Amino acid sequence: MYYLQVSSSSSAAHGCFCQVTGSLDDCACDVETIDAFNNERLFPKLQKLLESDYFRFYKVNLNKPCPFWTDSGLCGQNNCAVIPCPPVSIFLTLAYLYEESPDSQYVDLLLNPERFTGYKGHEAWQIWNSIYEENWKTFYSWLDGQCVEKRAFFRLVSGLHSSINIHLSARYLLDDNWFQKKWGHNVSEFQQRFDAQLTNGEGPKRLRNLYFLYLIELRALAKVLPLLQRPSFQLYTGQSTQDRQHKRVLLELLQVAKSFPLHFDETSLFAGNKEEAANLKEDFRLTFRNISRIMDCVGCFKCRLWGKLQTQGLGTALKILFSERQIEALPKSSSARLTFQLSRQEIVSLLNAFGRYNSSWHRIRYTRKVQINIKSI
């Protein structure tokens, strides 16, 4: 049993913070260790990297029709719209020439931040209800047996949902009138989603699942280092000096991720019967594909953008963890054919999704004095 305690400071002048404490399930580490490692060693490097041209531009098809229902209403507010990126730079021009997806467009993620746009109500509820209800018809029966793979899958999606809710609460549309828009922290919205009493005890579990998701993606970053440190891999944007500099920063980041002392042990997943393990991996793949298709039903295009990016990022992390042997067996010769590869879209989504989880607590740290304790009682 876990609890979540939230208290608010009456003095905004003294600044604000959010503190989470406690140990996590399915791994030998605690929240304090993760926070210290992330805030002191990872966060600054990652934020700098995500501002570079290679990682700020994401190619996505936002015009796919909803495959599950026909009455998906579109958000009519300007805040829901996505600002497309025209192919004006050398990098984008070349990308349009050599990446064949005519229905997709490049989006500048820095110009389209993840935040609450006003999209809510039945349509927004229907998205997450479908993700949980449709995909868990099978997985709920899994959870009864407490199989580590099945429990892990549920926690990953719950962690993804929690990260999105934290960012929506931290960058909330507080005031929208004809002369200005005011975005800021909405503590009551955060409490409604994560306070133990207001969520019947589910809030603390959701926060724990966010940290579990963070550990899974951190492990994937450490595991993908042999692929991305190859000389043949380039962060190509057409600006050779900056490209080399950003690859150096990327490799430094991956080395830091690798140095984390208490990584999640992915060998505990799919360690049983080979046939059952193979079936579970295929179920994972198909379910994440289904979640991505549900994201095509989101009526807010900006919400759809970040939902699809983070779903692809998590899918890429699992692809890396599922392919450890192929990565370890990569040929040393730069001219040899690789048995494992990642597309540019997968790399961009992987790092940006990790950036979302990485910054979740930074988004709410300076709102009010909010202390969250997660521990066994």
Side-chain angles (χ1 to χ4, degrees):
M1 182 176 181
Y2 310 99
Y3 71 90
L4 172 67
Q5 179 180 351
V6 179
S7 59
S8 299
S9 169
S10 59
S11 174
H14 290 86
C16 317
F17 66 92
C18 174
Q19 181 180 1
V20 183
T21 62
S23 59
L24 301 174
D25 298 328
D26 295 332
C27 62
C29 61
D30 54 46
V31 167
E32 293 87 347
T33 301
I34 298 173
D35 279 346
F37 181 82
N38 177 69
N39 297 338
E40 297 171 9
R41 304 189 60 189
L42 273 180
F43 186 76
K45 289 182 181 295
L46 180 60
Q47 295 307 304
K48 178 180 178 181
L49 194 63
L50 295 182
E51 293 174 356
S52 68
D53 285 351
Y54 187 90
F55 289 102
R56 69 184 290 181
F57 296 114
Y58 179 63
K59 195 170 188 180
V60 60
N61 185 354
L62 297 175
N63 298 311
K64 289 184 178 180
C66 174
F68 298 104
W69 54 83
T70 59
D71 60 342
S72 56
L74 295 179
C75 174
Q77 302 189 51
N78 291 333
N79 301 321
C80 295
V82 168
I83 304 173
C85 185
V88 293
S89 68
I90 295 176
F91 159 58
L92 288 179
T93 301
L94 290 175
Y96 269 95
L97 288 174
Y98 293 105
E99 289 187 33
E100 297 182 1
S101 12
D103 296 327
S104 299
Q105 61 182 339
Y106 275 97
V107 175
D108 187 338
L109 298 175
L110 298 184
L111 295 180
N112 296 276
E114 182 184 26
R115 59 190 180 188
F116 181 76
T117 63
Y119 177 68
K120 58 183 179 179
H122 175 74
E123 291 79 9
W125 171 86
Q126 188 176 23
I127 297 298
W128 284 106
N129 182 67
S130 298
I131 289 175
Y132 284 109
E133 293 296 329
E134 294 299 324
N135 291 301
W136 302 136
K137 286 179 180 177
T138 299
F139 294 113
Y140 273 135
S141 61
W142 285 7
L143 292 172
D144 291 339
Q146 293 299 299
C147 168
V148 64
E149 296 91 348
K150 302 160 187 177
R151 185 171 64 249
F153 188 92
F154 177 83
R155 295 186 67 188
L156 289 175
V157 176
S158 173
L160 171 63
H161 194 184
S162 297
S163 177
I164 292 174
N165 282 336
I166 287 175
H167 282 89
L168 299 187
S169 301
R171 304 189 71 175
Y172 200 88
L173 183 59
L174 300 176
D175 189 16
D176 187 6
N177 53 55
W178 66 272
F179 62 92
Q180 72 172 0
K181 296 180 186 295
K182 182 180 180 181
W183 307 86
H185 300 275
N186 189 325
V187 176
S188 62
E189 184 72 20
F190 176 81
Q191 291 173 319
Q192 290 176 18
R193 298 174 187 272
F194 297 106
D195 182 274
Q197 293 182 347
L198 297 178
T199 61
N200 294 321
E202 291 299 313
K205 298 177 184 177
R206 296 167 184 167
L207 294 174
R208 294 165 69 88
N209 292 340
L210 171 59
Y211 277 92
F212 179 75
L213 170 61
Y214 176 93
L215 289 175
I216 291 291
E217 297 229 1
L218 182 67
R219 184 59 165 169
L221 291 179
K223 288 292 184 179
V224 81
L225 177 59
L227 173 68
L228 302 188
Q229 69 182 1
R230 296 174 64 86
S232 58
F233 171 75
Q234 301 295 326
L235 298 178
Y236 179 74
T237 68
Q239 306 173 76
S240 57
T241 301
Q242 292 185 18
D243 292 346
R244 289 192 297 270
Q245 179 183 1
H246 291 145
K247 181 176 180 180
R248 177 180 57 79
V249 175
L250 172 62
L251 296 183
E252 290 175 357
L253 176 73
L254 299 183
Q255 290 286 1
V256 172
K258 185 178 180 180
S259 71
F260 184 66
L262 297 170
H263 271 294
F264 175 79
D265 182 10
E266 74 280 1
T267 61
S268 62
L269 300 176
F270 311 108
N273 179 275
K274 290 185 177 181
E275 182 177 354
E276 181 181 356
N279 291 335
L280 284 173
K281 287 182 180 180
E282 180 64 11
D283 285 338
F284 271 42
R285 187 186 69 82
L286 292 177
T287 303
F288 269 99
R289 180 184 177 186
N290 193 51
I291 293 174
S292 182
R293 295 176 68 210
I294 292 176
M295 291 298 176
D296 288 323
C297 300
V298 176
C300 165
F301 285 107
K302 191 170 292 181
C303 309
R304 184 183 299 191
L305 163 67
W306 285 104
K308 291 177 73 69
L309 180 146
Q310 291 178 74
T311 301
Q312 184 179 27
L314 178 51
T316 302
L318 293 176
K319 175 181 176 179
I320 294 169
L321 295 182
F322 292 168
S323 307
E324 182 178 11
R325 292 184 179 179
Q326 293 94 314
I327 295 176
E328 291 177 347
L330 288 172
K332 295 182 179 180
S333 172
S334 59
S335 60
R337 183 176 179 274
L338 300 182
T339 56
F340 178 84
Q341 299 185 58
L342 293 177
S343 68
R344 178 186 175 276
Q345 290 301 95
E346 289 175 316
I347 296 171
V348 171
S349 65
L350 174 67
L351 268 295
N352 273 283
F354 185 68
R356 295 290 85 201
Y357 320 137
N358 184 281
S359 65
S360 288
W361 296 111
H362 289 263
R363 293 297 187 190
I364 61 173
R365 173 174 269 178
Y366 299 102
T367 309
R368 293 185 180 175
K369 185 177 179 182
V370 181
Q371 182 164 349
I372 305 168
N373 298 305
I374 306 176
K375 57 186 178 182
S376 299
I377 58 175

